[in-house]
Amino acid sequence: MSGLRRGFATYTVRVAQFQAAQADTVIAPSLLAADFARLAEAAEAVDGAVDWLHVDVMDNHFVPNLTLGPPVVKALKAATAIPLDCHLMIEDPARWAVGYAELGAYNVTFHAEACDDPVAVAKDLRAAGSKAGLAIDRDTPVEDYLEILPEFDMLLIMTIKAGFGGQSFIPELLDKVRTARTHASSGHLDLRIEVDGGIADDTIAAAAEAGADAFVAGTAVYGAADPADAARRLRARADAARSSA
């Protein structure tokens, strides 16, 4: 095969991978909004209606809150077949992140602000068997990390300040989503863009139109009388917005 044909074939495969990655909307309810004493029941309540369970790991150092950790992730892995989307809001992810992959997390996301060498951590996570995600907090420019996105499976863009649930959605932060999606599209990257913070019935469409395809929703799901129905409603709104966009 000539070099030109090889190049075209590689380009075609990358485009197909990119399109496949963007085909499905991912709904990931945050267990931070669930009853911590009944996490297995919280998982069961949305089984069949969601794609991932979002597990917020906070260490009371990187953010001023303390939540779930490895023992809970291990127990959740045994209690549900829903893939676990672990969001590490912790210091020194180079030391701790791989442990979550080894526990069976589907995706492990760590913060760019907490890490000197994000690419090295991403490689370690992939080698340990999980997807690798990079998180960008409210005040961090996404432009500083665009060139390393090929090393990641997902980019998580905070639409609030990391550290607490129940905050109000900040629409201006969707500019980061637009920038990242434009960059990913132009490079045909197989990249999920996840948004986290204030995602609900009245905000998910705007996030989807901006280019997000994975959505973390806490109170909007677990604060509803029927969490599964709430998740389905969010998916419908996101699907409609993505189709129109």
Side-chain angles (χ1 to χ4, degrees):
M1 182 183 292
S2 69
L4 179 61
R5 289 181 177 177
R6 281 196 300 270
F8 180 76
T10 300
Y11 171 83
T12 301
V13 169
R14 291 180 68 190
V15 169
Q17 290 174 336
F18 170 76
Q19 291 173 336
Q22 306 314 307
D24 298 323
T25 296
V26 168
I27 302 297
S30 172
L31 292 173
L32 187 63
D35 183 344
F36 278 14
R38 299 180 175 179
L39 291 182
E41 293 175 34
E44 185 178 0
V46 296
D47 197 4
V50 305
D51 305 279
W52 304 339
L53 286 175
H54 191 77
V55 183
D56 289 298
V57 177
M58 305 183 192
D59 65 357
N60 196 31
H61 294 285
F62 180 72
V63 293
N65 203 352
L66 184 65
T67 59
L68 310 177
V72 175
V73 171
K74 182 178 181 180
L76 280 169
K77 180 64 179 174
T80 181
I82 304 173
L84 302 181
D85 177 34
C86 292
H87 176 193
L88 308 186
M89 288 169 270
I90 65 173
E91 291 183 349
D92 199 7
R95 178 180 180 184
W96 301 108
V98 169
Y100 290 88
E102 292 172 344
L103 287 171
Y106 173 78
N107 182 73
V108 180
T109 298
F110 60 94
H111 271 262
E113 304 87 359
C115 188
D116 293 329
D117 191 349
V119 171
V121 178
K123 289 180 178 178
D124 289 343
L125 286 170
R126 286 174 163 179
S130 77
K131 302 287 187 180
L134 183 70
I136 303 294
D137 205 356
R138 180 191 65 189
D139 301 324
T140 300
V142 71
E143 289 83 359
D144 294 348
Y145 298 95
L146 294 177
E147 294 306 313
I148 65 171
L149 291 183
E151 306 297 332
F152 290 86
D153 303 290
M154 189 174 77
L155 174 67
L156 185 160
I157 294 177
M158 297 299 301
T159 43
I160 58 171
K161 175 65 177 174
F164 293 93
Q167 298 180 58
S168 297
F169 179 79
I170 304 174
E172 292 79 8
L173 297 179
L174 293 181
D175 287 341
K176 295 184 188 182
V177 177
R178 296 183 187 97
T179 297
R181 178 53 70 204
T182 297
H183 182 81
S185 298
S186 63
H188 305 292
L189 301 183
D190 185 5
L191 182 77
R192 286 278 182 194
I193 297 181
E194 184 175 56
V195 285
D196 182 359
I199 298 300
D201 286 338
D202 59 344
T203 59
I204 194 168
E209 289 169 356
D213 58 12
F215 306 89
V216 178
T219 304
V221 173
Y222 284 118
D226 186 337
D229 183 66
R232 294 187 189 101
R233 188 171 61 248
L234 289 170
R235 185 188 305 280
R237 290 179 183 269
D239 283 344
R242 294 183 66 208
S243 296
S244 64

